[in-house]
Amino acid sequence: MCTEIRPVFHRLALCAARWAGRLCVCVSLLSFAGVSLFHGPATAQDLSDRTTKTKSLLTGEAGYRLAVFAEIPNARSIAVAPELKGVFVGTRGPNLYFARDDNGDGVAETVNLIGDDFKMANGIAYQPGTLFVADQHRIVSYDLDGFDGKTLGRPRILFTNLPDERHHGWRYAALSPDGARLFVAVGAPCNICKVSGLEGTIISIPTTGGAPKVYASGIRNSVGLTFHPDTNELWFTDNGGDRLGDDIPREELNRASEPGGFYGYPWYAGNDTRSPQFDDEEIAGDTIFPEFTFNAHNAPLGLTFDDGDALVALHGSWNRTIPDGYKVMRVEFRDGKAVTANPFLTGFLRSNGEVIGRPVDVKHYVDGSILISDDHASVIWRMVPDG
């Protein structure tokens, strides 16, 4: 494959060309002002008009300045690969990208489409030498020995029997602190319903492949999980049920201090709100309630820990009378407890109701800055600490 996507474009235009005797699809993205073909290293001046305008409307936490790492269509999950001088970026679709920052200045010089045959390339994780992809129906890995930043080799099949349902079928993945196991969130294939098998769980499998173990259950749809850098405990977000009202159920930030925990779904639609379908049923076993909650329909997704706090991306509501969310929040901790949340990056929802961005994932970059993916604006934002 020779598909290359520069981080300066926004709309797809397909052209067919022959290269090395094979049909190659060259994808270029169009700016709002017209066709913009850029052939040199990326700089701040190369950003599309739309991204430049969006950036000017966003407000970050004091002590940070906002920059742009790359423009990538439908950018979602992020996996930073320092040894490869770049970042893997998944999407809620067939495409997987690699954004290369060769000179380490925090701006991707090139963005390459390295895979386009996934059902849902949302769940990705990286450790030196290996890329893991949790697709809708299976989990695979790629040996990155000799990776040129443009083409993945053949996948190694790690597990093939994930529930093959598109509803909540976009996975999220993270590696255990020792790098021995891959943790994958498996959503429930519905709004609120009773689940079976691996549905509504977080599973783990050996990074070499094998049968999964259920680490946590009773989870509606987690699209963000990470391990605490000090305690090695698993923390994850969970989205509450829809169509129960503007203000219920509150959405969750959970801690899984040990395997085997049950987190309430579907008997709880989210937090302590009972699901109407099952509110007359007794719940077998103990339910673990969230450590912290967000407003209903805020859709908390990716998260990372930062100086003892948690940075959480709120993707934003889609079925609330007055839209809410659309920001990145800093959840402050005191004595190991989440106590309050303050804005880290805002402005994605304008006062007139216009949505100009929807944050998805949050990851630390190699230089100490923080990357934030945005699948609405198709951008990887970069929050750079002063100094």
Side-chain angles (χ1 to χ4, degrees):
M1 177 181 294
C2 70
T3 305
E4 180 173 310
I5 297 186
R6 301 287 183 182
V8 294
F9 313 122
H10 266 289
R11 298 288 174 89
L12 292 177
L14 299 180
C15 64
R18 289 281 181 180
W19 179 78
R22 295 178 297 172
L23 181 64
C24 172
V25 179
C26 300
V27 182
S28 60
L29 302 176
L30 306 184
S31 71
F32 278 79
V35 178
S36 175
L37 297 177
F38 173 68
H39 298 287
T43 69
Q45 286 71 38
D46 300 315
L47 299 177
S48 69
D49 292 343
R50 180 187 181 191
T51 296
T52 301
K53 179 180 178 181
T54 300
K55 176 176 174 289
S56 72
L57 297 174
L58 302 180
T59 302
E61 180 181 276
Y64 288 85
R65 63 177 176 84
L66 181 63
V68 174
F69 180 76
E71 293 182 286
I72 301 174
N74 188 31
R76 288 193 50 101
S77 295
I78 302 170
V80 179
E83 298 81 8
L84 301 176
K85 297 183 179 180
V87 174
F88 292 97
V89 181
T91 66
R92 202 166 68 176
N95 294 340
L96 180 63
Y97 298 92
F98 183 72
R100 187 186 290 279
D101 177 16
D102 272 316
N103 60 9
D105 66 350
V107 179
E109 287 80 33
T110 58
V111 177
N112 294 322
L113 176 62
I114 60 174
D116 61 1
D117 57 352
F118 301 96
K119 286 190 176 182
M120 203 91 69
N122 192 81
I124 59 174
Y126 167 85
Q127 64 183 10
T130 308
L131 174 69
F132 301 90
V133 181
D135 203 346
Q136 176 176 297
H137 61 305
R138 66 179 188 173
I139 302 170
V140 299
S141 67
Y142 293 89
D143 182 356
L144 298 177
D145 184 33
F147 177 63
D148 62 0
K150 297 181 180 180
T151 307
L152 288 173
R154 293 179 61 85
R156 177 181 180 182
I157 308 301
L158 303 183
F159 183 67
T160 59
N161 292 320
L162 290 177
D164 195 3
E165 299 283 347
R166 187 168 181 83
H167 194 127
H168 293 162
W170 44 94
R171 314 298 176 198
Y172 196 90
L175 287 159
S176 61
D178 63 4
R181 298 187 72 86
L182 183 71
F183 284 66
V184 176
V186 183
C190 56
N191 179 28
I192 300 173
C193 64
K194 291 188 176 180
V195 295
S196 61
L198 300 180
E199 297 169 346
T201 68
I202 293 174
I203 63 172
S204 77
I205 67 169
T207 53
T208 54
K213 293 181 179 180
V214 174
Y215 191 86
S217 62
I219 301 164
R220 180 177 177 271
N221 185 38
S222 175
V223 198
L225 54 98
T226 192
F227 288 87
H228 194 287
D230 298 325
T231 67
N232 288 340
E233 293 174 313
L234 177 67
W235 287 74
F236 63 94
T237 57
D238 194 14
N239 290 189
D242 296 320
R243 303 185 183 92
L244 296 178
D246 277 354
D247 300 314
I248 60 170
R250 292 186 65 81
E251 315 232 83
E252 302 179 357
L253 175 62
N254 294 282
R255 177 172 60 180
S257 56
E258 58 185 10
F262 172 72
Y263 292 83
Y265 180 86
W267 290 273
Y268 289 95
N271 192 32
D272 57 359
T273 299
R274 289 297 300 265
S275 301
Q277 303 95 312
F278 312 117
D279 61 1
D280 60 346
E281 295 185 9
E282 291 189 12
I283 304 171
D286 296 328
T287 298
I288 300 173
F289 290 101
E291 294 287 320
F292 192 80
T293 63
F294 303 94
N295 288 345
H297 312 297
N298 275 195
L301 301 185
L303 74 157
T304 193
F305 283 95
D306 180 67
D307 292 334
D309 299 330
L311 300 177
V312 182
L314 304 183
H315 198 226
S317 60
W318 65 270
N319 65 338
R320 194 175 188 278
T321 303
I322 301 175
D324 195 15
Y326 306 95
K327 65 187 74 172
V328 181
M329 299 295 287
R330 180 182 291 277
V331 179
E332 296 184 9
F333 281 64
R334 295 175 195 159
D335 300 323
K337 300 288 187 181
V339 294
T340 189
N342 292 302
F344 181 70
L345 182 61
T346 63
F348 298 101
L349 176 65
R350 309 308 299 166
S351 59
N352 63 0
E354 179 189 7
V355 173
I356 62 172
R358 302 189 74 184
V360 178
D361 202 5
V362 188
K363 290 287 193 303
H364 284 274
Y365 193 48
V366 293
D367 62 356
S369 62
I370 295 167
L371 301 180
I372 299 167
S373 62
D374 181 337
D375 64 352
H376 182 87
S378 291
V379 174
I380 302 288
W381 305 106
R382 180 168 164 260
M383 289 285 278
V384 185
D386 291 344

